[in-house]
Amino acid sequence: NAGVTQTPKFQVLKTGQSMTLQCAQDMNHNSMYWYRQDPGMGLRLIYYSASEGTTDKGEVPNGYNVSRLNKREFSLRLESAAPSQTSVYFCASSLLAGTQETQYFGPGTRLLVL
Amino acid sequence: AQTVTQSQPEMSVQEAETVTLSCTYDTSENNYYLFWYKQPPSRQMILVIRQEAYKQQNATENRFSVNFQKAAKSFSLKISDSQLGDTAMYFCAFMKLGNTGTASKLTFGTGTRLQVTL
């Protein structure tokens, strides 16, 4: 039982390049989330998926797209990376959205955009 | 919108001593949850403790306990018998209780960096 896994752990991109961050969970959770963490700030929600087949914007969605591939996997795509997207990205999952279910986090992906 | 404030950017405590981390929040909601997450140097976000707003009793998890003051909108974390492994960034977070299927958006504070020393 690995919990929430993320790949890659670290990535360097040039401005304008695209990439996809992968996230998978093996806890049979229904809901998944993508957050970003910037220096001196807490985590901020980018997108979430309350259940398989649904996605919605969070607090800072601009410049990102997501895909809920199946119940286990939720990917985050940067179509044209910008230096402002340099951050640490966390994926999380919970049993149900909108309830008291605790969110469990992956180890994070550190992204540097030059 | 909810806001979470952690007014102590850094704190230090000696091993075996007790330390309290402060957190205040602002909300007009009545039903919500509060969390403390720990982020060690590995960057993994680890749940430490959670508190349901409707419960008057303060949550405890081994050496970790909270002082939840709903009227004052205060949610502090007390770590007893501090250990070197407690060295980490600690984040306070607020979750509004919504309808099933809607976002369980966690609003985080900016964190308190705790250093446990010998």
Side-chain angles (χ1 to χ4, degrees), chain A residues 25-102:
Chain A
Q25 53 89 12
D26 62 2
M27 296 178 283
N28 202 33
H29 283 172
N30 293 292
S31 305
M32 299 184 74
Y33 312 82
W34 276 105
Y35 291 86
R36 61 179 287 173
Q37 183 180 26
D38 300 304
M41 302 183 72
L43 280 68
R44 292 181 293 167
L45 183 65
I46 304 171
Y47 269 94
Y48 73 101
S49 170
S51 61
E52 186 178 356
T54 69
T55 61
D56 281 287
K57 295 178 180 179
E59 184 183 352
V60 288
N62 292 342
Y64 305 96
N65 286 300
V66 291
S67 295
R68 185 72 183 269
L69 305 170
N70 47 55
K71 190 172 185 179
R72 289 188 62 249
E73 299 172 291
F74 188 39
S75 63
L76 179 71
R77 183 162 178 82
L78 287 71
E79 290 290 350
S80 179
S84 61
Q85 294 178 305
T86 292
S87 189
V88 180
Y89 291 86
F90 287 94
C91 178
S93 71
S94 66
L95 186 58
L96 289 172
T99 68
Q100 71 275 24
E101 296 299 334
T102 298

Side-chain angles (χ1 to χ4, degrees), chain A residues 5-9 19-23 34 109:
Chain A
T5 57
Q6 292 182 235
T7 56
K9 292 183 179 179
M19 81 161 293
T20 300
L21 282 65
Q22 306 287 351
C23 173
W34 276 105
T109 293

